[in-house]
Amino acid sequence: ALHEGHVVSAQELTGLLQPVFTQNSRNLILFLQDTLSVDDFTYFTESYENKNPFQNQVNKMFINLLQEILQSSPSSLVLPAVDCKATRYLLSFLQESGDWELTNITNHSVSQLEVDTSKSNLLVVQLQPLASVLNEISTLEAIAENDKIIGRLTMDLQERGIHFSVIYTAMRPSRITRRTDVVGELRRQLMATEEEDSLSYSPLNVTSGNDTCILFYAGNFSLKANSSVFIDLTNATFVTQNVDISSSECSDINTTLSLKYANPVNGISSLEIRFLMANKFYGGSARNWSTLDSVEIVQDGEKFAKFNVSVISAPAEYSFHCQLVGTSNLYPARLIPSNNEAKNWDVFISRLQLQGFNIENNQFSYASDCTGFFTPGIWMGLVTSIILLWILAYGIHMIMQLTTNSRFDDPKGPALSVPQTE
Protein backbone atom coordinates (compact mmCIF):
# COMPACT_ATOMS: atom_id res chain seq x y z
CA ALA A 1 0.00 0.00 0.00
CA LEU A 2 1.31 3.44 -0.98
CA HIS A 3 0.76 6.46 1.21
CA GLU A 4 -1.05 9.50 -0.14
CA GLY A 5 0.93 11.76 -2.42
CA HIS A 6 3.60 9.10 -2.93
CA VAL A 7 5.49 9.40 -6.22
CA VAL A 8 6.29 5.98 -7.67
CA SER A 9 9.92 5.77 -8.79
CA ALA A 10 11.21 3.78 -11.76
CA GLN A 11 12.35 0.92 -9.51
CA GLU A 12 8.99 0.74 -7.75
CA LEU A 13 7.18 0.82 -11.08
CA THR A 14 9.05 -2.25 -12.33
CA GLY A 15 7.91 -4.12 -9.20
CA LEU A 16 4.30 -3.06 -9.70
CA LEU A 17 4.38 -4.30 -13.29
CA GLN A 18 5.69 -7.77 -12.44
CA PRO A 19 2.18 -9.35 -12.40
CA VAL A 20 1.78 -8.31 -16.02
CA PHE A 21 4.74 -10.50 -16.99
CA THR A 22 3.80 -13.53 -14.84
CA GLN A 23 0.13 -13.92 -15.81
CA ASN A 24 -1.10 -16.17 -18.60
CA SER A 25 -2.05 -13.27 -20.86
CA ARG A 26 1.05 -12.02 -22.67
CA ASN A 27 -0.67 -9.27 -24.65
CA LEU A 28 0.05 -5.78 -23.34
CA ILE A 29 -1.37 -2.50 -24.69
CA LEU A 30 0.49 0.71 -23.83
CA PHE A 31 -1.54 3.88 -24.43
CA LEU A 32 0.83 6.86 -24.42
CA GLN A 33 -0.34 10.47 -24.18
CA ASP A 34 1.77 13.62 -24.02
CA THR A 35 0.30 14.87 -20.70
CA LEU A 36 -1.99 13.27 -18.12
CA SER A 37 -2.63 13.41 -14.37
CA VAL A 38 -4.92 11.56 -11.98
CA ASP A 39 -6.75 14.85 -11.35
CA ASP A 40 -7.86 14.96 -15.01
CA PHE A 41 -10.25 12.06 -14.49
CA THR A 42 -12.15 13.71 -11.64
CA TYR A 43 -11.88 17.26 -12.98
CA PHE A 44 -13.31 16.61 -16.44
CA THR A 45 -15.91 14.17 -15.10
CA GLU A 46 -17.30 16.59 -12.50
CA SER A 47 -16.87 19.86 -14.39
CA TYR A 48 -18.36 18.64 -17.68
CA GLU A 49 -21.02 16.11 -16.64
CA ASN A 50 -22.96 16.60 -19.89
CA LYS A 51 -19.75 16.22 -21.92
CA ASN A 52 -17.97 13.52 -19.92
CA PRO A 53 -15.02 12.56 -22.18
CA PHE A 54 -14.45 9.20 -20.47
CA GLN A 55 -16.94 6.73 -21.94
CA ASN A 56 -15.04 3.50 -22.63
CA GLN A 57 -15.19 0.60 -20.20
CA VAL A 58 -11.54 0.78 -19.08
CA ASN A 59 -11.71 4.44 -18.02
CA LYS A 60 -15.19 4.07 -16.50
CA MET A 61 -13.98 1.26 -14.22
CA PHE A 62 -11.05 3.43 -13.08
CA ILE A 63 -13.27 6.47 -12.49
CA ASN A 64 -15.79 4.44 -10.47
CA LEU A 65 -12.96 3.07 -8.32
CA LEU A 66 -11.54 6.58 -7.93
CA GLN A 67 -14.89 7.99 -6.85
CA GLU A 68 -15.36 5.20 -4.29
CA ILE A 69 -11.95 6.01 -2.78
CA LEU A 70 -12.73 9.73 -2.65
CA GLN A 71 -16.17 9.21 -1.09
CA SER A 72 -14.81 6.86 1.57
CA SER A 73 -12.02 9.28 2.48
CA PRO A 74 -12.79 11.36 5.63
CA SER A 75 -10.79 14.34 4.33
CA SER A 76 -9.14 15.68 1.20
CA LEU A 77 -7.07 13.07 -0.56
CA VAL A 78 -3.83 13.24 -2.53
CA LEU A 79 -3.47 10.05 -4.56
CA PRO A 80 -0.17 8.41 -5.50
CA ALA A 81 1.26 9.09 -8.95
CA VAL A 82 4.04 7.79 -11.16
CA ASP A 83 7.19 9.84 -11.60
CA CYS A 84 7.39 11.26 -15.12
CA LYS A 85 11.03 10.18 -15.29
CA ALA A 86 9.86 6.58 -14.79
CA THR A 87 7.25 6.73 -17.54
CA ARG A 88 9.78 8.25 -19.91
CA TYR A 89 11.75 5.00 -19.89
CA LEU A 90 8.70 2.72 -19.61
CA LEU A 91 8.70 1.61 -23.24
CA SER A 92 12.39 0.66 -23.24
CA PHE A 93 11.90 -1.20 -19.94
CA LEU A 94 8.95 -3.19 -21.32
CA GLN A 95 10.92 -4.17 -24.42
CA GLU A 96 13.83 -5.41 -22.28
CA SER A 97 11.56 -7.28 -19.87
CA GLY A 98 10.29 -9.92 -22.29
CA ASP A 99 10.35 -11.32 -25.78
CA TRP A 100 7.67 -8.99 -27.08
CA GLU A 101 6.47 -8.59 -30.65
CA LEU A 102 6.41 -4.78 -30.80
CA THR A 103 3.66 -3.14 -32.86
CA ASN A 104 3.25 0.63 -33.14
CA ILE A 105 -0.35 1.64 -33.75
CA THR A 106 -1.71 4.94 -35.01
CA ASN A 107 -5.27 6.19 -35.12
CA HIS A 108 -5.55 5.02 -38.74
CA SER A 109 -4.42 1.45 -38.10
CA VAL A 110 -6.58 0.65 -35.04
CA SER A 111 -9.39 -0.90 -37.09
CA GLN A 112 -7.01 -2.98 -39.26
CA LEU A 113 -5.03 -4.43 -36.35
CA GLU A 114 -3.95 -8.06 -36.61
CA VAL A 115 -2.69 -9.83 -33.47
CA ASP A 116 -0.72 -13.09 -33.55
CA THR A 117 -1.87 -14.77 -30.32
CA SER A 118 0.94 -17.33 -30.51
CA LYS A 119 3.43 -14.61 -29.58
CA SER A 120 3.77 -12.09 -26.78
CA ASN A 121 2.53 -8.82 -28.22
CA LEU A 122 3.35 -5.31 -27.05
CA LEU A 123 0.99 -2.84 -28.73
CA VAL A 124 2.07 0.79 -28.41
CA VAL A 125 -0.62 3.36 -29.23
CA GLN A 126 0.54 6.99 -29.52
CA LEU A 127 -2.56 9.01 -28.64
CA GLN A 128 -3.02 12.48 -30.06
CA PRO A 129 -1.59 15.30 -27.92
CA LEU A 130 -3.86 17.46 -25.80
CA ALA A 131 -4.41 21.05 -26.95
CA SER A 132 -4.05 22.38 -23.40
CA VAL A 133 -2.13 25.41 -24.66
CA LEU A 134 -5.29 26.84 -26.23
CA ASN A 135 -8.25 26.21 -23.89
CA GLU A 136 -10.00 23.59 -21.81
CA ILE A 137 -12.64 22.82 -24.44
CA SER A 138 -9.92 21.79 -26.91
CA THR A 139 -8.37 19.61 -24.21
CA LEU A 140 -11.76 18.07 -23.48
CA GLU A 141 -12.29 17.22 -27.15
CA ALA A 142 -8.80 15.71 -27.45
CA ILE A 143 -9.34 13.53 -24.34
CA ALA A 144 -12.72 12.40 -25.68
CA GLU A 145 -11.13 11.43 -29.01
CA ASN A 146 -8.37 9.48 -27.24
CA ASP A 147 -11.01 7.78 -25.09
CA LYS A 148 -12.77 6.60 -28.25
CA ILE A 149 -9.51 5.16 -29.59
CA ILE A 150 -8.95 3.26 -26.33
CA GLY A 151 -12.51 1.94 -26.34
CA ARG A 152 -12.40 0.96 -30.02
CA LEU A 153 -9.21 -1.09 -29.63
CA THR A 154 -10.12 -2.79 -26.34
CA MET A 155 -13.64 -3.70 -27.54
CA ASP A 156 -12.21 -5.12 -30.77
CA LEU A 157 -9.80 -7.38 -28.86
CA GLN A 158 -12.53 -8.45 -26.42
CA GLU A 159 -14.84 -9.43 -29.27
CA ARG A 160 -12.05 -11.60 -30.72
CA GLY A 161 -11.59 -13.30 -27.35
CA ILE A 162 -8.02 -12.04 -26.93
CA HIS A 163 -6.90 -11.50 -23.33
CA PHE A 164 -4.80 -8.44 -22.66
CA SER A 165 -3.56 -5.97 -20.05
CA VAL A 166 -3.69 -2.18 -20.46
CA ILE A 167 -1.36 0.61 -19.32
CA TYR A 168 -2.65 4.16 -19.81
CA THR A 169 -0.07 6.83 -18.98
CA ALA A 170 1.73 9.91 -20.29
CA MET A 171 5.19 11.36 -20.66
CA ARG A 172 4.56 14.42 -18.48
CA PRO A 173 2.02 15.45 -15.83
CA SER A 174 -0.66 17.87 -16.96
CA ARG A 175 -1.04 19.31 -13.46
CA ILE A 176 1.75 20.21 -11.03
CA THR A 177 0.96 19.07 -7.49
CA ARG A 178 2.39 21.04 -4.57
CA ARG A 179 5.08 19.01 -2.87
CA THR A 180 4.46 18.57 0.85
CA ASP A 181 8.06 17.86 1.83
CA VAL A 182 9.37 21.35 1.05
CA VAL A 183 6.63 23.59 2.46
CA GLY A 184 9.20 25.69 4.27
CA GLU A 185 10.97 26.71 1.07
CA LEU A 186 10.26 29.89 -0.80
CA ARG A 187 7.37 29.75 -3.28
CA ARG A 188 9.58 30.80 -6.16
CA GLN A 189 12.08 28.03 -5.45
CA LEU A 190 9.27 25.48 -5.17
CA MET A 191 7.74 26.42 -8.50
CA ALA A 192 11.11 26.36 -10.22
CA THR A 193 11.86 22.89 -8.82
CA GLU A 194 8.49 21.49 -9.88
CA GLU A 195 8.78 22.88 -13.36
CA GLU A 196 12.28 21.48 -13.75
CA ASP A 197 11.14 18.03 -12.60
CA SER A 198 8.19 17.94 -14.98
CA LEU A 199 10.07 19.07 -18.06
CA SER A 200 13.45 17.44 -17.68
CA TYR A 201 13.79 15.82 -21.08
CA SER A 202 16.98 16.21 -23.07
CA PRO A 203 17.37 18.62 -25.98
CA LEU A 204 17.36 17.38 -29.55
CA ASN A 205 20.88 17.13 -30.94
CA VAL A 206 22.12 16.84 -34.52
CA THR A 207 25.55 15.32 -35.05
CA SER A 208 28.09 15.73 -37.82
CA GLY A 209 30.53 12.87 -37.58
CA ASN A 210 31.28 12.44 -33.90
CA ASP A 211 30.53 16.05 -32.96
CA THR A 212 27.22 17.69 -32.07
CA CYS A 213 26.56 20.63 -34.38
CA ILE A 214 22.98 21.65 -33.44
CA LEU A 215 21.15 21.66 -30.11
CA PHE A 216 17.44 22.46 -29.94
CA TYR A 217 15.13 22.57 -26.90
CA ALA A 218 11.62 23.88 -26.25
CA GLY A 219 9.21 23.52 -23.36
CA ASN A 220 6.33 23.55 -25.83
CA PHE A 221 6.54 23.32 -29.63
CA SER A 222 3.13 23.72 -31.26
CA LEU A 223 1.61 24.80 -34.57
CA LYS A 224 -1.87 25.65 -35.73
CA ALA A 225 -2.86 25.31 -39.39
CA ASN A 226 -5.69 27.36 -40.90
CA SER A 227 -6.79 28.47 -37.41
CA SER A 228 -8.34 25.02 -36.79
CA VAL A 229 -5.84 22.12 -36.91
CA PHE A 230 -3.71 22.04 -33.76
CA ILE A 231 -0.37 20.20 -33.95
CA ASP A 232 1.66 19.60 -30.78
CA LEU A 233 5.17 18.46 -31.74
CA THR A 234 6.73 18.61 -28.26
CA ASN A 235 6.39 14.93 -27.47
CA ALA A 236 7.45 13.71 -30.94
CA THR A 237 10.48 16.02 -31.00
CA PHE A 238 11.98 15.67 -27.53
CA VAL A 239 10.45 12.68 -25.72
CA THR A 240 9.82 9.88 -28.22
CA GLN A 241 12.02 11.66 -30.82
CA ASN A 242 9.75 10.40 -33.58
CA VAL A 243 11.25 12.94 -35.96
CA ASP A 244 13.58 12.68 -38.95
CA ILE A 245 16.58 15.04 -38.73
CA SER A 246 18.63 13.43 -41.51
CA SER A 247 18.18 16.45 -43.82
CA SER A 248 19.83 18.82 -41.34
CA GLU A 249 23.04 20.46 -42.55
CA CYS A 250 25.97 21.87 -40.59
CA SER A 251 28.88 24.10 -41.54
CA ASP A 252 30.90 26.96 -40.08
CA ILE A 253 28.87 29.53 -42.01
CA ASN A 254 25.33 28.18 -42.52
CA THR A 255 23.39 25.62 -40.51
CA THR A 256 19.94 24.18 -41.16
CA LEU A 257 17.90 22.25 -38.60
CA SER A 258 15.38 20.11 -40.50
CA LEU A 259 12.56 18.41 -38.58
CA LYS A 260 10.40 15.98 -40.58
CA TYR A 261 7.24 14.41 -39.16
CA ALA A 262 5.17 11.66 -40.76
CA ASN A 263 1.40 11.92 -40.20
CA PRO A 264 1.59 14.43 -37.33
CA VAL A 265 -2.22 14.80 -37.34
CA ASN A 266 -5.16 13.63 -39.41
CA GLY A 267 -5.20 15.32 -42.81
CA ILE A 268 -1.46 16.07 -42.96
CA SER A 269 0.68 13.22 -44.31
CA SER A 270 4.06 14.93 -43.91
CA LEU A 271 5.37 18.07 -42.30
CA GLU A 272 8.87 19.56 -42.43
CA ILE A 273 10.04 22.50 -40.35
CA ARG A 274 13.40 24.11 -41.15
CA PHE A 275 15.37 26.56 -39.00
CA LEU A 276 17.96 28.39 -41.14
CA MET A 277 20.86 29.85 -39.15
CA ALA A 278 23.90 31.85 -40.24
CA ASN A 279 27.26 32.73 -38.68
CA LYS A 280 28.52 36.14 -39.86
CA PHE A 281 31.18 38.65 -38.88
CA TYR A 282 29.91 42.13 -37.99
CA GLY A 283 32.41 44.99 -38.07
CA GLY A 284 30.45 47.13 -35.64
CA SER A 285 30.99 44.70 -32.78
CA ALA A 286 34.20 43.20 -34.25
CA ARG A 287 32.97 39.65 -33.66
CA ASN A 288 30.93 36.83 -35.20
CA TRP A 289 27.22 36.56 -34.47
CA SER A 290 24.88 33.62 -35.07
CA THR A 291 21.41 34.55 -36.28
CA LEU A 292 18.25 32.64 -37.05
CA ASP A 293 17.44 34.16 -40.44
CA SER A 294 14.21 32.35 -41.30
CA VAL A 295 11.86 29.48 -40.46
CA GLU A 296 10.23 27.40 -43.22
CA ILE A 297 7.27 25.02 -43.06
CA VAL A 298 6.64 22.52 -45.85
CA GLN A 299 3.32 20.66 -45.72
CA ASP A 300 2.83 17.47 -47.77
CA GLY A 301 5.88 18.35 -49.87
CA GLU A 302 4.16 21.16 -51.75
CA LYS A 303 2.72 23.89 -49.50
CA PHE A 304 5.64 26.17 -48.60
CA ALA A 305 5.45 28.78 -45.84
CA LYS A 306 8.32 31.07 -44.94
CA PHE A 307 8.78 33.32 -41.91
CA ASN A 308 11.34 36.05 -41.36
CA VAL A 309 12.70 36.20 -37.83
CA SER A 310 13.30 39.18 -35.59
CA VAL A 311 15.50 39.52 -32.49
CA ILE A 312 16.90 35.96 -32.54
CA SER A 313 20.67 36.44 -32.51
CA ALA A 314 23.57 35.78 -30.17
CA PRO A 315 27.38 35.86 -30.18
CA ALA A 316 28.61 32.89 -32.18
CA GLU A 317 30.03 31.21 -29.06
CA TYR A 318 26.70 31.47 -27.20
CA SER A 319 23.33 29.78 -27.46
CA PHE A 320 20.08 31.73 -27.83
CA HIS A 321 17.25 31.56 -25.31
CA CYS A 322 13.80 33.12 -25.32
CA GLN A 323 10.74 32.51 -23.17
CA LEU A 324 8.21 32.98 -26.00
CA VAL A 325 8.76 32.73 -29.75
CA GLY A 326 5.99 32.70 -32.33
CA THR A 327 3.75 34.53 -34.75
CA SER A 328 1.88 36.58 -32.13
CA ASN A 329 2.64 40.28 -31.84
CA LEU A 330 2.89 39.86 -28.06
CA TYR A 331 5.97 37.59 -28.18
CA PRO A 332 9.41 39.14 -27.65
CA ALA A 333 10.83 37.13 -30.61
CA ARG A 334 8.51 37.10 -33.62
CA LEU A 335 8.13 34.96 -36.71
CA ILE A 336 6.90 37.33 -39.43
CA PRO A 337 5.11 35.74 -42.45
CA SER A 338 6.93 36.52 -45.69
CA ASN A 339 4.52 34.83 -48.13
CA ASN A 340 0.77 34.18 -48.33
CA GLU A 341 1.03 30.52 -47.26
CA ALA A 342 2.74 31.56 -44.02
CA LYS A 343 -0.36 33.55 -43.03
CA ASN A 344 -2.23 30.22 -42.64
CA TRP A 345 0.07 29.11 -39.81
CA ASP A 346 0.34 30.06 -36.16
CA VAL A 347 3.54 29.05 -34.35
CA PHE A 348 4.02 28.83 -30.59
CA ILE A 349 7.38 27.94 -28.99
CA SER A 350 7.97 28.39 -25.27
CA ARG A 351 11.33 28.30 -23.45
CA LEU A 352 13.23 28.05 -26.72
CA GLN A 353 16.97 27.42 -26.58
CA LEU A 354 18.88 26.99 -29.82
CA GLN A 355 22.54 26.73 -30.79
CA GLY A 356 23.92 25.95 -34.23
CA PHE A 357 27.62 26.78 -33.91
CA ASN A 358 30.60 26.20 -31.60
CA ILE A 359 29.02 23.49 -29.43
CA GLU A 360 31.36 21.98 -26.86
CA ASN A 361 30.89 18.84 -24.75
CA ASN A 362 27.44 18.25 -26.31
CA GLN A 363 25.98 20.98 -24.10
CA PHE A 364 24.47 24.41 -24.58
CA SER A 365 26.85 27.30 -24.12
CA TYR A 366 26.03 30.37 -22.05
CA ALA A 367 22.63 31.65 -23.26
CA SER A 368 22.03 35.11 -24.68
CA ASP A 369 18.43 35.91 -23.76
CA CYS A 370 15.99 37.72 -26.03
CA THR A 371 14.92 40.02 -23.18
CA GLY A 372 16.50 43.42 -23.71
CA PHE A 373 18.14 45.52 -21.01
CA PHE A 374 15.03 47.68 -20.61
CA THR A 375 12.37 45.17 -19.61
CA PRO A 376 8.72 46.25 -19.04
CA GLY A 377 9.40 46.26 -15.30
CA ILE A 378 12.37 48.60 -15.72
CA TRP A 379 10.35 50.93 -17.97
CA MET A 380 7.52 50.98 -15.42
CA GLY A 381 9.96 51.80 -12.62
CA LEU A 382 11.57 54.58 -14.65
CA VAL A 383 8.24 56.18 -15.63
CA THR A 384 6.97 56.01 -12.03
CA SER A 385 10.21 57.52 -10.72
CA ILE A 386 10.06 60.38 -13.26
CA ILE A 387 6.46 61.19 -12.29
CA LEU A 388 7.33 61.23 -8.57
CA LEU A 389 10.41 63.39 -9.21
CA TRP A 390 8.29 65.82 -11.24
CA ILE A 391 5.74 66.07 -8.39
CA LEU A 392 8.59 66.62 -5.90
CA ALA A 393 10.21 69.29 -8.09
CA TYR A 394 6.87 71.06 -8.58
CA GLY A 395 6.22 71.04 -4.83
CA ILE A 396 9.68 72.44 -4.06
CA HIS A 397 9.19 75.13 -6.71
CA MET A 398 5.83 76.18 -5.23
CA ILE A 399 7.29 76.28 -1.71
CA MET A 400 10.14 78.51 -2.94
CA GLN A 401 7.59 80.96 -4.38
CA LEU A 402 6.05 81.57 -0.97
CA THR A 403 6.85 85.07 0.46
CA THR A 404 6.49 86.44 3.97
CA ASN A 405 5.34 89.86 5.10
CA SER A 406 8.09 92.52 5.09
CA ARG A 407 5.97 95.21 6.84
CA PHE A 408 3.93 94.91 10.03
CA ASP A 409 1.38 97.02 11.89
CA ASP A 410 2.72 99.35 14.63
CA PRO A 411 0.14 99.55 17.44
CA LYS A 412 1.39 103.06 18.35
CA GLY A 413 1.22 104.39 14.81
CA PRO A 414 -1.36 104.59 12.01
CA ALA A 415 -2.80 101.43 10.49
CA LEU A 416 -0.75 99.80 7.73
CA SER A 417 -2.24 100.19 4.28
CA VAL A 418 -1.32 97.48 1.75
CA PRO A 419 -2.25 98.16 -1.87
CA GLN A 420 -4.11 95.38 -3.73
CA THR A 421 -1.23 95.06 -6.15
CA GLU A 422 1.00 93.78 -3.38
Side-chain angles (χ1 to χ4, degrees):
L2 303 175
H3 62 81
E4 65 173 19
H6 178 75
V7 179
V8 179
S9 63
Q11 185 176 0
E12 292 173 321
L13 182 61
T14 57
L16 293 173
L17 292 177
Q18 285 304 318
V20 176
F21 308 130
T22 56
Q23 62 186 4
N24 294 330
S25 172
R26 294 287 291 177
N27 297 308
L28 178 61
I29 309 175
L30 176 61
F31 292 103
L32 275 178
Q33 207 163 263
D34 59 337
T35 59
L36 184 69
S37 294
V38 178
D39 298 24
D40 292 337
F41 291 93
T42 55
Y43 174 77
F44 288 107
T45 303
E46 295 173 358
S47 301
Y48 301 92
E49 293 182 0
N50 299 330
K51 297 181 180 180
N52 183 4
F54 302 106
Q55 297 294 330
N56 76 73
Q57 184 179 359
V58 176
N59 284 333
K60 277 187 174 181
M61 291 174 59
F62 175 72
I63 292 173
N64 291 335
L65 176 62
L66 196 59
Q67 290 175 342
E68 290 178 6
I69 296 174
L70 292 173
Q71 290 173 0
S72 62
S73 176
S75 60
S76 60
L77 185 65
V78 181
L79 294 175
V82 179
D83 187 1
C84 61
K85 295 179 181 178
T87 59
R88 200 165 298 138
Y89 302 105
L90 179 59
L91 181 57
S92 59
F93 164 73
L94 292 175
Q95 290 178 272
E96 296 171 358
S97 301
D99 187 17
W100 300 97
E101 183 72 20
L102 179 62
T103 304
N104 289 298
I105 304 173
T106 63
N107 186 22
H108 306 285
S109 59
V110 168
S111 57
Q112 294 87 18
L113 178 64
E114 296 182 2
V115 179
D116 186 359
T117 55
S118 62
K119 300 179 180 179
S120 300
N121 297 284
L122 175 58
L123 311 177
V124 180
V125 183
Q126 293 282 353
L127 300 173
Q128 67 172 341
L130 307 184
S132 56
V133 176
L134 300 178
N135 51 58
E136 288 186 354
I137 299 301
S138 300
T139 305
L140 187 73
E141 294 172 352
I143 290 179
E145 184 63 29
N146 290 341
D147 183 81
K148 292 178 183 178
I149 297 173
I150 295 173
R152 193 186 318 158
L153 179 57
T154 53
M155 287 296 296
D156 180 56
L157 294 178
Q158 285 179 348
E159 292 174 356
R160 296 194 221 175
I162 300 175
H163 299 283
F164 58 89
S165 300
V166 173
I167 298 176
Y168 181 23
T169 186
M171 293 297 182
R172 308 193 306 273
S174 59
R175 301 170 189 272
I176 302 298
T177 305
R178 178 176 290 276
R179 292 166 50 188
T180 57
D181 57 337
V182 286
V183 175
E185 295 183 12
L186 294 176
R187 177 175 178 84
R188 181 170 182 177
Q189 293 175 340
L190 175 61
M191 294 179 65
T193 303
E194 289 169 345
E195 182 178 16
E196 182 180 355
D197 289 343
S198 63
L199 298 173
S200 57
Y201 43 76
S202 302
L204 179 71
N205 64 315
V206 178
T207 58
S208 177
N210 296 326
D211 300 325
T212 299
C213 59
I214 303 175
L215 285 173
F216 173 57
Y217 176 87
N220 187 290
F221 183 26
S222 307
L223 308 174
K224 194 174 183 183
N226 300 315
S227 300
S228 59
V229 181
F230 180 79
I231 311 171
D232 190 340
L233 302 174
T234 312
N235 198 45
T237 307
F238 304 104
V239 182
T240 62
Q241 295 197 351
N242 187 21
V243 58
D244 180 11
I245 56 175
S246 59
S247 298
S248 301
E249 299 177 354
C250 297
S251 70
D252 295 335
I253 301 175
N254 295 298
T255 295
T256 301
L257 172 61
S258 173
L259 307 174
K260 293 183 179 179
Y261 306 88
N263 299 312
V265 292
N266 295 337
I268 299 180
S269 59
S270 66
L271 186 68
E272 182 182 7
I273 304 173
R274 294 193 288 257
F275 295 83
L276 282 70
M277 294 170 278
N279 181 10
K280 300 178 182 178
F281 179 81
Y282 290 85
S285 58
R287 67 180 306 166
N288 282 56
W289 287 73
S290 62
T291 58
L292 178 61
D293 292 339
S294 61
V295 175
E296 300 173 351
I297 300 176
V298 182
Q299 176 188 343
D300 299 327
E302 53 184 23
K303 296 182 179 180
F304 177 78
K306 184 176 180 180
F307 299 87
N308 294 326
V309 183
S310 67
V311 189
I312 300 185
S313 62
E317 299 82 8
Y318 291 1
S319 63
F320 175 82
H321 175 269
C322 196
Q323 189 68 16
L324 290 174
V325 177
T327 50
S328 173
N329 294 330
L330 303 177
Y331 298 161
R334 285 197 59 207
L335 304 182
I336 305 170
S338 64
N339 62 2
N340 292 330
E341 184 62 31
K343 298 177 181 178
N344 298 327
W345 290 91
D346 294 320
V347 182
F348 173 79
I349 307 176
S350 67
R351 297 188 295 280
L352 168 72
Q353 189 162 1
L354 181 66
Q355 185 172 356
F357 305 96
N358 303 312
I359 298 175
E360 298 180 358
N361 301 323
N362 298 329
Q363 294 180 344
F364 280 114
S365 303
Y366 177 85
S368 174
D369 201 274
C370 63
T371 302
F373 179 77
F374 287 97
T375 62
I378 293 177
W379 279 115
M380 184 176 297
L382 287 175
V383 171
T384 305
S385 301
I386 291 173
I387 293 175
L388 292 176
L389 288 174
W390 181 83
I391 295 174
L392 178 63
Y394 179 77
I396 294 174
H397 173 73
M398 295 302 294
I399 291 174
M400 294 177 64
Q401 297 301 313
L402 295 177
T403 58
T404 58
N405 291 333
S406 58
R407 291 178 293 174
F408 301 93
D409 280 332
D410 185 0
K412 296 182 180 180
L416 182 65
S417 175
V418 179
Q420 292 293 330
T421 56
E422 298 184 11

